[in-house]
Amino acid sequence: MIWVGDSLKALQGFPEDVKGEVGFALFQAQTGKMYFKAKPLKGLGAGVLEIVSDHRGDTFRAVYTVRLSGRVYVLHAFQKKSKIGIATPKAELDLIKQRLNRAIELHESWEKQHG
């Protein structure tokens, strides 16, 4: 499991129930399975998934990729603030795209060193 940016710190601030659900989903990803609530994040291509967890009227999201062989990269974890619509806000999507590119760089570097 590779945490990109502040994704681990953000997840640690989530309510315990949400941390448990996200943690289980990430464990399943590491073992090659897909959590039943994990869904592809539109616009980022295959292998980028999102878990949406609701807790007491608040919505928390975690985004990860299984696209890079043999490793799970957690790209972002955040609380969705907007109460209007279900779409991921553009600023969050931009950050996820940036972190996906960073994950690709990290993975390529690791492959060169251990490859």
Side-chain angles (χ1 to χ4, degrees), residues 12 63 79 108-109:
Q12 289 171 334
V63 179
Q79 180 178 355
E108 288 172 354
S109 175

Side-chain angles (χ1 to χ4, degrees), residues 48-87:
V48 178
L49 302 163
E50 177 180 49
I51 304 155
V52 178
S53 184
D54 294 316
H55 178 77
R56 296 185 180 172
D58 292 321
T59 299
F60 298 85
R61 296 181 178 200
V63 179
Y64 63 97
T65 185
V66 294
R67 180 186 300 172
L68 305 167
S69 62
R71 304 177 97 189
V72 175
Y73 288 81
V74 182
L75 304 173
H76 193 27
F78 62 101
Q79 180 178 355
K80 185 172 181 289
K81 303 284 186 186
S82 173
K83 301 295 181 190
I84 302 170
I86 61 170

